[in-house]
Amino acid sequence: MRRHILAYLNLFLLLNLLSSFPLSSSRSHFNLKRGNSISVGEKSEFLISPDNSFTCGFYSLGTNAYWFAIWFTNSRDRTVSWTANRDRPVNSKGSKVTIRGDGTMVLTDVDGTVVWQTNTTTTDVAAAELLNTGNLVLKNRQGEILWQSFDFPTDTLLPSQAFTKNTRLRSARRQGSYESGYFNLYFGSDNVLRLISDSPDTSTAYWPNPDFDIYRNGRTNYNSSRIAVLDDMGKFLSSDLFQFNTSDMGYGIKRRMTMDYDGNLRVYSLDNLTGLWDITWQALGQPCNVRGVCGRNAICVYAPQSICTCPPGFEVNNANDWNAGCKATFNETLLNSLQVKFLELPHTDFYGFDLNATNPTTWETCRDMCLVDFRCQAFSYRLLGQGFCFIKSALFNGYASPDFVASIYLKLPNNLNASKPDLFHASSSSCGSSEQEIVVGSPSMYDFNNKSVRWAYIYPFFVGLGAIELLLILLGWWFLFRKHGIPASVEAGYNMISSQFRVYTYSELKKATNNFKEELGRGGSGAVYKGVLSDDRVVAVKRLGHVFQEEEYFAEISTIGKINHMNLVRIWGFCSERRNRLLVYEYLDNLSLDRHLFGPNFLDWKQRYVVALGTAKGLAYLHHECLEWVIHCDVKPENILLDSEFQPKIADFGLAKLSQRGGPGSEFTRIRGTKGYMAPEWALNLPITAKVDVFGYGVVILEMVRGVRVCNWVVEEEDRNEAAITNFVRRIKEEMQCGRLDWVESVVDSRLGGGFSRNQAAALIRTGICCVEEDKNKRPTMASVVQTLLECEQENDG
Ligand SMILES: *[C@@H]1O[C@H](CO)[C@@H](O)[C@H](O)[C@H]1NC(C)=O
Ligand SMILES: *[C@@H]1O[C@H](CO)[C@@H](O)[C@H](O)[C@H]1NC(C)=O
Ligand SMILES: *[C@@H]1O[C@H](CO)[C@@H](O)[C@H](O)[C@H]1NC(C)=O
Ligand SMILES: *[C@@H]1O[C@H](CO)[C@@H](O)[C@H](O)[C@H]1NC(C)=O
Ligand SMILES: *[C@@H]1O[C@H](CO)[C@@H](O)[C@H](O)[C@H]1NC(C)=O
Ligand SMILES: *[C@@H]1O[C@H](CO)[C@@H](O)[C@H](O)[C@H]1NC(C)=O
Ligand SMILES: *[C@@H]1O[C@H](CO)[C@@H](O)[C@H](O)[C@H]1NC(C)=O
């Protein structure tokens, strides 16, 4: 589904690009002669390979940062295969690449500093050429190659490019960046081709399987030539006898082998019809086998989705960068005493960093060895006939899998409250979840319908996403700059704006709304008016009450513009003129949920369940999946709109400040939200996380079950001091505990006359109760709410 939407969007953008991009102002060449240069700027110049499959020139990621790079001309997202200056981008103006008289090719920044240069020092150099293989070469007059980019790969190896003892593929630090990361492909000194994670903290080889010896892994170490190559047919052969064939073996297909930012090594093949990449081989089938993918103290859990999580007593350092791992919430000097306890983490291991490995030992001996050794942070004990004991000095390379037979016993201070975690059932329907959960690698490896990670499918999707981003950036830039002469001070804000929405003039919107005549609603962020555009599209125009600064406004709009999900209201465009800030949204026939819940025309049960599920999906997308983590902060029936089929679409998102998801550093300057739906964190001045939306959602689904607005819920006289929601939850929990059989019936909207699914109602009530827990850590995530509700989706009992 998403893939389709993207495909169309891509097509649309591509057409746009072709029809509007100022092609006339760029020039391409087959070679660059000595003394000449290529520069960034209005008249971009490129080198292209004779068959046009590769392009070389300046490449930008949307900010004022350029790389001298080679990319696949025909891949939709212009996938980069090589960069000269990966860790040191240059400025947009005045940077250039020159072949100097002394024969060096140099990249200089705007101030003339040399950012990168070739090691050629012969005046014999005549010209630079880009070959059909994607190799940038410096040749002399006789046509001999004096220097080639193939000797200095970044994260990608191209067919026919030799991988040698002097080369290394190094991953990017994160998705969508070129900065060097921690995962490497290289030839070890024992002549074996390896993958290693090489962070500032640790260096651990993880492929081939480190638990096996060289021969069991099918390798040899006697051939010291240390050379490997992927040929044009898709056959890979290395001197340690490692070999594979890509799944699409054959000639005529463009391929690349990339050391991906998630630590996996993959071969991609270009689909020449769609311009997207398909994975045709990968080194590791299971993401948690990439050691160190989650960072220090963290655990990669495979159950069956792969996520990073922190063990009890630890919290995540940076939820957007799991390489940074987790940190202890307690004072670690407390471990240097005997006042400690051990917490079992079943099916878990921290690989390596063993102070002492002994066998056979009893569990008690193992524990005592860890207890008396102050360096010991945990011990691993496994019973395989006899007891194996591993004393750990550091917690790296953590992973947990239901198939793994040993347990880790974590050393924690005695007074720390921590209980044995249930790593594999984080999404069970009981209250509680781990705040630190995040998907490994990319934000969207959950597939709610299939409950399994499908890498091969998801990767092309992400590649596509990258393409869109890039095109949007390019288009947004060009479009806005050309048409509107935007002041330079807000350039940064424009960079990320996607052009799938238009810029409207104020007079256009004034006319469309008939001078803001028909008001549809009014909320915290402003009033919404109905309008008809000149192309007859009916729209909802929101006039923001708060006059945002331009920078702030563009920052928030750029977020909204990138978000696209069937349960979120689409934005068509915006207007920013003088003090007017308007947003143009799609218009939904059935307006908001409150009009179909609390009045005389109310939704039947089936429709209510659809709305509850769809709303959960929309919020889960905002929290877990979309490119930027977005907290809505004002979930309430007025912000859930219904289309003509009564499918829900969430409105008004993206207007709260973006938050580092779950991070304690989240800062909110403005309080947003509506009384009755606001989580206790607001009043208690605690960090605001996505869990405030979970709270609001809980209130909304309980309202949907009851058919009564929360402010009208009856609170008995003796409980007058309690909030309606607290009172309700307490009463219903009492009823459930007392074994009252009709506790569901006592809650469900009596106007339905019994027409509802009892299982679904029970699921909604239970979920609602969990969602409004005072302690945000006990509330489930929206992703797990979706899973819970999906399980009951097909219920039809009466
Ligand atoms: C430049 O680097 C390449 C590859 O490492 C090497 O083969 C060559 O000898 C170097 N040339 C000079 C002049 O240092
Ligand atoms: C070592 O490997 C290379 C490349 O695969 C091969 O050409 C060479 O013959 C091998 N040498 C021996 C002694 O097997
Ligand atoms: C790859 O294909 C060739 C045939 O072209 C075959 O001989 C070889 O065994 C295959 N290698 C692997 C690892 O399957
Ligand atoms: C596309 O790729 C196929 C092989 O998968 C090849 O036969 C065909 O010629 C290619 N088409 C173009 C236009 O390059
Ligand atoms: C940890 O505890 C030790 C001794 O109790 C104390 O000296 C140290 O300052 C504490 N460190 C932190 C970060 O609280
Ligand atoms: C491991 O512990 C045993 C028993 O305490 C001790 O005898 C042995 O020397 C230790 N080994 C190492 C490498 O520290
Ligand atoms: C641990 O929990 C107990 C009861 O659950 C509580 O009394 C105690 O204060 C807690 N200790 C800490 C350090 O949080």
Side-chain angles (χ1 to χ4, degrees), residues 232-256:
D232 289 331
M233 213 167 103
K235 206 162 79 184
F236 184 87
L237 182 65
S238 150
S239 57
D240 66 354
L241 293 187
F242 171 68
Q243 57 174 304
F244 68 83
N245 296 331
T246 57
S247 60
D248 61 346
M249 207 169 77
Y251 290 106
I253 299 171
K254 291 272 167 230
R255 297 191 179 84
R256 65 185 164 96

PDB file of all heavy atoms in Angstrom, residues 232-256:
ATOM      1  N   ASP A 232      30.520  -8.873 -13.117  1.00  0.00           N
ATOM      2  CA  ASP A 232      29.371  -8.276 -13.806  1.00  0.00           C
ATOM      3  C   ASP A 232      28.158  -9.193 -13.846  1.00  0.00           C
ATOM      4  O   ASP A 232      27.051  -8.764 -14.157  1.00  0.00           O
ATOM      5  CB  ASP A 232      29.763  -7.899 -15.234  1.00  0.00           C
ATOM      6  CG  ASP A 232      30.709  -6.720 -15.254  1.00  0.00           C
ATOM      7  OD1 ASP A 232      30.617  -5.897 -14.314  1.00  0.00           O
ATOM      8  OD2 ASP A 232      31.536  -6.626 -16.171  1.00  0.00           O
ATOM      9  N   MET A 233      28.389 -10.473 -13.540  1.00  0.00           N
ATOM     10  CA  MET A 233      27.285 -11.419 -13.604  1.00  0.00           C
ATOM     11  C   MET A 233      26.582 -11.538 -12.254  1.00  0.00           C
ATOM     12  O   MET A 233      25.518 -12.139 -12.148  1.00  0.00           O
ATOM     13  CB  MET A 233      27.854 -12.778 -13.999  1.00  0.00           C
ATOM     14  CG  MET A 233      26.923 -13.581 -14.820  1.00  0.00           C
ATOM     15  SD  MET A 233      27.837 -14.950 -15.527  1.00  0.00           S
ATOM     16  CE  MET A 233      27.324 -16.257 -14.492  1.00  0.00           C
ATOM     17  N   GLY A 234      27.188 -10.973 -11.206  1.00  0.00           N
ATOM     18  CA  GLY A 234      26.586 -11.092  -9.878  1.00  0.00           C
ATOM     19  C   GLY A 234      27.211 -12.211  -9.075  1.00  0.00           C
ATOM     20  O   GLY A 234      26.601 -12.706  -8.134  1.00  0.00           O
ATOM     21  N   LYS A 235      28.416 -12.610  -9.456  1.00  0.00           N
ATOM     22  CA  LYS A 235      29.107 -13.658  -8.727  1.00  0.00           C
ATOM     23  C   LYS A 235      30.207 -13.006  -7.906  1.00  0.00           C
ATOM     24  O   LYS A 235      30.993 -12.224  -8.423  1.00  0.00           O
ATOM     25  CB  LYS A 235      29.712 -14.653  -9.725  1.00  0.00           C
ATOM     26  CG  LYS A 235      29.887 -16.035  -9.161  1.00  0.00           C
ATOM     27  CD  LYS A 235      30.055 -17.056 -10.263  1.00  0.00           C
ATOM     28  CE  LYS A 235      31.475 -17.023 -10.806  1.00  0.00           C
ATOM     29  NZ  LYS A 235      31.689 -17.917 -11.934  1.00  0.00           N
ATOM     30  N   PHE A 236      30.226 -13.344  -6.619  1.00  0.00           N
ATOM     31  CA  PHE A 236      31.242 -12.763  -5.745  1.00  0.00           C
ATOM     32  C   PHE A 236      32.229 -13.848  -5.364  1.00  0.00           C
ATOM     33  O   PHE A 236      31.831 -14.946  -4.989  1.00  0.00           O
ATOM     34  CB  PHE A 236      30.580 -12.200  -4.496  1.00  0.00           C
ATOM     35  CG  PHE A 236      31.526 -11.492  -3.568  1.00  0.00           C
ATOM     36  CD1 PHE A 236      31.817 -10.150  -3.741  1.00  0.00           C
ATOM     37  CD2 PHE A 236      32.118 -12.160  -2.509  1.00  0.00           C
ATOM     38  CE1 PHE A 236      32.689  -9.484  -2.883  1.00  0.00           C
ATOM     39  CE2 PHE A 236      32.989 -11.501  -1.641  1.00  0.00           C
ATOM     40  CZ  PHE A 236      33.267 -10.162  -1.838  1.00  0.00           C
ATOM     41  N   LEU A 237      33.520 -13.534  -5.447  1.00  0.00           N
ATOM     42  CA  LEU A 237      34.531 -14.520  -5.093  1.00  0.00           C
ATOM     43  C   LEU A 237      35.650 -13.824  -4.329  1.00  0.00           C
ATOM     44  O   LEU A 237      36.148 -12.783  -4.746  1.00  0.00           O
ATOM     45  CB  LEU A 237      35.091 -15.174  -6.357  1.00  0.00           C
ATOM     46  CG  LEU A 237      36.135 -16.257  -6.105  1.00  0.00           C
ATOM     47  CD1 LEU A 237      35.524 -17.435  -5.374  1.00  0.00           C
ATOM     48  CD2 LEU A 237      36.738 -16.709  -7.422  1.00  0.00           C
ATOM     49  N   SER A 238      35.989 -14.428  -3.190  1.00  0.00           N
ATOM     50  CA  SER A 238      37.039 -13.851  -2.368  1.00  0.00           C
ATOM     51  C   SER A 238      38.166 -14.871  -2.209  1.00  0.00           C
ATOM     52  O   SER A 238      37.945 -16.074  -2.301  1.00  0.00           O
ATOM     53  CB  SER A 238      36.431 -13.455  -1.021  1.00  0.00           C
ATOM     54  OG  SER A 238      37.364 -13.546  -0.001  1.00  0.00           O
ATOM     55  N   SER A 239      39.377 -14.385  -1.945  1.00  0.00           N
ATOM     56  CA  SER A 239      40.531 -15.282  -1.873  1.00  0.00           C
ATOM     57  C   SER A 239      40.459 -16.220  -0.663  1.00  0.00           C
ATOM     58  O   SER A 239      41.211 -17.181  -0.589  1.00  0.00           O
ATOM     59  CB  SER A 239      41.832 -14.472  -1.854  1.00  0.00           C
ATOM     60  OG  SER A 239      41.814 -13.579  -0.766  1.00  0.00           O
ATOM     61  N   ASP A 240      39.582 -15.963   0.306  1.00  0.00           N
ATOM     62  CA  ASP A 240      39.435 -16.915   1.413  1.00  0.00           C
ATOM     63  C   ASP A 240      38.370 -17.972   1.088  1.00  0.00           C
ATOM     64  O   ASP A 240      37.865 -18.650   1.978  1.00  0.00           O
ATOM     65  CB  ASP A 240      39.097 -16.190   2.716  1.00  0.00           C
ATOM     66  CG  ASP A 240      37.734 -15.520   2.689  1.00  0.00           C
ATOM     67  OD1 ASP A 240      37.085 -15.505   1.619  1.00  0.00           O
ATOM     68  OD2 ASP A 240      37.301 -15.009   3.744  1.00  0.00           O
ATOM     69  N   LEU A 241      38.037 -18.059  -0.183  1.00  0.00           N
ATOM     70  CA  LEU A 241      37.083 -19.038  -0.724  1.00  0.00           C
ATOM     71  C   LEU A 241      35.633 -18.732  -0.409  1.00  0.00           C
ATOM     72  O   LEU A 241      34.753 -19.538  -0.652  1.00  0.00           O
ATOM     73  CB  LEU A 241      37.413 -20.468  -0.261  1.00  0.00           C
ATOM     74  CG  LEU A 241      38.716 -21.050  -0.814  1.00  0.00           C
ATOM     75  CD1 LEU A 241      38.821 -22.515  -0.427  1.00  0.00           C
ATOM     76  CD2 LEU A 241      38.783 -20.905  -2.335  1.00  0.00           C
ATOM     77  N   PHE A 242      35.384 -17.564   0.173  1.00  0.00           N
ATOM     78  CA  PHE A 242      33.995 -17.194   0.361  1.00  0.00           C
ATOM     79  C   PHE A 242      33.428 -16.802  -1.004  1.00  0.00           C
ATOM     80  O   PHE A 242      34.051 -16.053  -1.753  1.00  0.00           O
ATOM     81  CB  PHE A 242      33.861 -16.027   1.330  1.00  0.00           C
ATOM     82  CG  PHE A 242      32.468 -15.476   1.390  1.00  0.00           C
ATOM     83  CD1 PHE A 242      31.446 -16.243   1.937  1.00  0.00           C
ATOM     84  CD2 PHE A 242      32.159 -14.234   0.859  1.00  0.00           C
ATOM     85  CE1 PHE A 242      30.147 -15.762   1.967  1.00  0.00           C
ATOM     86  CE2 PHE A 242      30.863 -13.755   0.885  1.00  0.00           C
ATOM     87  CZ  PHE A 242      29.852 -14.519   1.442  1.00  0.00           C
ATOM     88  N   GLN A 243      32.267 -17.331  -1.328  1.00  0.00           N
ATOM     89  CA  GLN A 243      31.652 -16.936  -2.593  1.00  0.00           C
ATOM     90  C   GLN A 243      30.138 -17.019  -2.513  1.00  0.00           C
ATOM     91  O   GLN A 243      29.579 -17.736  -1.691  1.00  0.00           O
ATOM     92  CB  GLN A 243      32.154 -17.821  -3.729  1.00  0.00           C
ATOM     93  CG  GLN A 243      31.925 -19.307  -3.514  1.00  0.00           C
ATOM     94  CD  GLN A 243      32.309 -20.088  -4.757  1.00  0.00           C
ATOM     95  OE1 GLN A 243      31.805 -19.822  -5.836  1.00  0.00           O
ATOM     96  NE2 GLN A 243      33.198 -21.053  -4.611  1.00  0.00           N
ATOM     97  N   PHE A 244      29.492 -16.216  -3.308  1.00  0.00           N
ATOM     98  CA  PHE A 244      28.043 -16.325  -3.423  1.00  0.00           C
ATOM     99  C   PHE A 244      27.628 -15.832  -4.798  1.00  0.00           C
ATOM    100  O   PHE A 244      28.404 -15.158  -5.488  1.00  0.00           O
ATOM    101  CB  PHE A 244      27.333 -15.521  -2.331  1.00  0.00           C
ATOM    102  CG  PHE A 244      27.489 -14.026  -2.454  1.00  0.00           C
ATOM    103  CD1 PHE A 244      26.674 -13.284  -3.306  1.00  0.00           C
ATOM    104  CD2 PHE A 244      28.453 -13.346  -1.725  1.00  0.00           C
ATOM    105  CE1 PHE A 244      26.818 -11.912  -3.425  1.00  0.00           C
ATOM    106  CE2 PHE A 244      28.606 -11.969  -1.844  1.00  0.00           C
ATOM    107  CZ  PHE A 244      27.788 -11.259  -2.687  1.00  0.00           C
ATOM    108  N   ASN A 245      26.420 -16.185  -5.161  1.00  0.00           N
ATOM    109  CA  ASN A 245      25.823 -15.661  -6.384  1.00  0.00           C
ATOM    110  C   ASN A 245      24.611 -14.835  -5.987  1.00  0.00           C
ATOM    111  O   ASN A 245      23.859 -15.246  -5.103  1.00  0.00           O
ATOM    112  CB  ASN A 245      25.349 -16.806  -7.289  1.00  0.00           C
ATOM    113  CG  ASN A 245      26.504 -17.673  -7.777  1.00  0.00           C
ATOM    114  OD1 ASN A 245      27.621 -17.207  -7.928  1.00  0.00           O
ATOM    115  ND2 ASN A 245      26.224 -18.954  -8.009  1.00  0.00           N
ATOM    116  N   THR A 246      24.416 -13.689  -6.613  1.00  0.00           N
ATOM    117  CA  THR A 246      23.225 -12.914  -6.288  1.00  0.00           C
ATOM    118  C   THR A 246      21.999 -13.672  -6.802  1.00  0.00           C
ATOM    119  O   THR A 246      22.111 -14.509  -7.700  1.00  0.00           O
ATOM    120  CB  THR A 246      23.264 -11.523  -6.946  1.00  0.00           C
ATOM    121  OG1 THR A 246      23.403 -11.702  -8.363  1.00  0.00           O
ATOM    122  CG2 THR A 246      24.421 -10.707  -6.437  1.00  0.00           C
ATOM    123  N   SER A 247      20.852 -13.382  -6.209  1.00  0.00           N
ATOM    124  CA  SER A 247      19.656 -14.142  -6.560  1.00  0.00           C
ATOM    125  C   SER A 247      19.211 -13.894  -8.001  1.00  0.00           C
ATOM    126  O   SER A 247      18.450 -14.666  -8.565  1.00  0.00           O
ATOM    127  CB  SER A 247      18.528 -13.792  -5.596  1.00  0.00           C
ATOM    128  OG  SER A 247      18.254 -12.412  -5.672  1.00  0.00           O
ATOM    129  N   ASP A 248      19.704 -12.811  -8.603  1.00  0.00           N
ATOM    130  CA  ASP A 248      19.299 -12.495  -9.978  1.00  0.00           C
ATOM    131  C   ASP A 248      20.474 -12.638 -10.931  1.00  0.00           C
ATOM    132  O   ASP A 248      20.632 -11.856 -11.869  1.00  0.00           O
ATOM    133  CB  ASP A 248      18.768 -11.065 -10.048  1.00  0.00           C
ATOM    134  CG  ASP A 248      19.825 -10.048  -9.652  1.00  0.00           C
ATOM    135  OD1 ASP A 248      20.863 -10.454  -9.072  1.00  0.00           O
ATOM    136  OD2 ASP A 248      19.632  -8.853  -9.918  1.00  0.00           O
ATOM    137  N   MET A 249      21.335 -13.634 -10.685  1.00  0.00           N
ATOM    138  CA  MET A 249      22.578 -13.733 -11.434  1.00  0.00           C
ATOM    139  C   MET A 249      22.360 -13.585 -12.948  1.00  0.00           C
ATOM    140  O   MET A 249      21.428 -14.167 -13.497  1.00  0.00           O
ATOM    141  CB  MET A 249      23.249 -15.061 -11.130  1.00  0.00           C
ATOM    142  CG  MET A 249      24.732 -14.998 -11.307  1.00  0.00           C
ATOM    143  SD  MET A 249      25.566 -16.435 -10.652  1.00  0.00           S
ATOM    144  CE  MET A 249      25.251 -17.629 -11.885  1.00  0.00           C
ATOM    145  N   GLY A 250      23.189 -12.825 -13.584  1.00  0.00           N
ATOM    146  CA  GLY A 250      23.081 -12.621 -15.019  1.00  0.00           C
ATOM    147  C   GLY A 250      23.692 -11.283 -15.393  1.00  0.00           C
ATOM    148  O   GLY A 250      23.941 -10.444 -14.528  1.00  0.00           O
ATOM    149  N   TYR A 251      23.936 -11.096 -16.681  1.00  0.00           N
ATOM    150  CA  TYR A 251      24.563  -9.860 -17.148  1.00  0.00           C
ATOM    151  C   TYR A 251      23.525  -8.766 -17.355  1.00  0.00           C
ATOM    152  O   TYR A 251      22.334  -9.022 -17.379  1.00  0.00           O
ATOM    153  CB  TYR A 251      25.304 -10.115 -18.464  1.00  0.00           C
ATOM    154  CG  TYR A 251      26.531 -10.975 -18.287  1.00  0.00           C
ATOM    155  CD1 TYR A 251      26.538 -12.305 -18.705  1.00  0.00           C
ATOM    156  CD2 TYR A 251      27.678 -10.452 -17.683  1.00  0.00           C
ATOM    157  CE1 TYR A 251      27.657 -13.097 -18.532  1.00  0.00           C
ATOM    158  CE2 TYR A 251      28.812 -11.237 -17.508  1.00  0.00           C
ATOM    159  CZ  TYR A 251      28.794 -12.556 -17.938  1.00  0.00           C
ATOM    160  OH  TYR A 251      29.899 -13.325 -17.755  1.00  0.00           O
ATOM    161  N   GLY A 252      24.018  -7.560 -17.487  1.00  0.00           N
ATOM    162  CA  GLY A 252      23.162  -6.441 -17.887  1.00  0.00           C
ATOM    163  C   GLY A 252      22.410  -5.783 -16.744  1.00  0.00           C
ATOM    164  O   GLY A 252      21.575  -4.925 -16.969  1.00  0.00           O
ATOM    165  N   ILE A 253      22.705  -6.177 -15.523  1.00  0.00           N
ATOM    166  CA  ILE A 253      22.012  -5.571 -14.386  1.00  0.00           C
ATOM    167  C   ILE A 253      23.017  -4.741 -13.598  1.00  0.00           C
ATOM    168  O   ILE A 253      24.142  -5.166 -13.356  1.00  0.00           O
ATOM    169  CB  ILE A 253      21.401  -6.665 -13.488  1.00  0.00           C
ATOM    170  CG1 ILE A 253      20.387  -7.473 -14.286  1.00  0.00           C
ATOM    171  CG2 ILE A 253      20.744  -6.054 -12.262  1.00  0.00           C
ATOM    172  CD1 ILE A 253      19.900  -8.704 -13.558  1.00  0.00           C
ATOM    173  N   LYS A 254      22.595  -3.531 -13.222  1.00  0.00           N
ATOM    174  CA  LYS A 254      23.464  -2.666 -12.412  1.00  0.00           C
ATOM    175  C   LYS A 254      23.379  -3.121 -10.964  1.00  0.00           C
ATOM    176  O   LYS A 254      22.280  -3.224 -10.409  1.00  0.00           O
ATOM    177  CB  LYS A 254      22.996  -1.213 -12.502  1.00  0.00           C
ATOM    178  CG  LYS A 254      23.207  -0.600 -13.856  1.00  0.00           C
ATOM    179  CD  LYS A 254      24.597   0.010 -13.957  1.00  0.00           C
ATOM    180  CE  LYS A 254      24.944   0.350 -15.386  1.00  0.00           C
ATOM    181  NZ  LYS A 254      26.234  -0.166 -15.804  1.00  0.00           N
ATOM    182  N   ARG A 255      24.525  -3.386 -10.360  1.00  0.00           N
ATOM    183  CA  ARG A 255      24.522  -3.834  -8.965  1.00  0.00           C
ATOM    184  C   ARG A 255      25.472  -2.989  -8.145  1.00  0.00           C
ATOM    185  O   ARG A 255      26.357  -2.312  -8.668  1.00  0.00           O
ATOM    186  CB  ARG A 255      24.972  -5.287  -8.870  1.00  0.00           C
ATOM    187  CG  ARG A 255      24.077  -6.258  -9.575  1.00  0.00           C
ATOM    188  CD  ARG A 255      24.440  -7.683  -9.202  1.00  0.00           C
ATOM    189  NE  ARG A 255      23.559  -8.617  -9.870  1.00  0.00           N
ATOM    190  CZ  ARG A 255      23.732  -9.071 -11.111  1.00  0.00           C
ATOM    191  NH1 ARG A 255      24.763  -8.671 -11.809  1.00  0.00           N
ATOM    192  NH2 ARG A 255      22.873  -9.898 -11.643  1.00  0.00           N
ATOM    193  N   ARG A 256      25.285  -3.084  -6.840  1.00  0.00           N
ATOM    194  CA  ARG A 256      26.268  -2.484  -5.919  1.00  0.00           C
ATOM    195  C   ARG A 256      26.263  -3.294  -4.644  1.00  0.00           C
ATOM    196  O   ARG A 256      25.242  -3.860  -4.258  1.00  0.00           O
ATOM    197  CB  ARG A 256      25.912  -1.025  -5.609  1.00  0.00           C
ATOM    198  CG  ARG A 256      24.605  -0.870  -4.842  1.00  0.00           C
ATOM    199  CD  ARG A 256      24.236   0.603  -4.665  1.00  0.00           C
ATOM    200  NE  ARG A 256      22.833   0.744  -4.280  1.00  0.00           N
ATOM    201  CZ  ARG A 256      22.422   0.884  -3.017  1.00  0.00           C
ATOM    202  NH1 ARG A 256      23.279   0.900  -2.031  1.00  0.00           N
ATOM    203  NH2 ARG A 256      21.133   0.990  -2.742  1.00  0.00           N
TER     204      ARG A 256
END
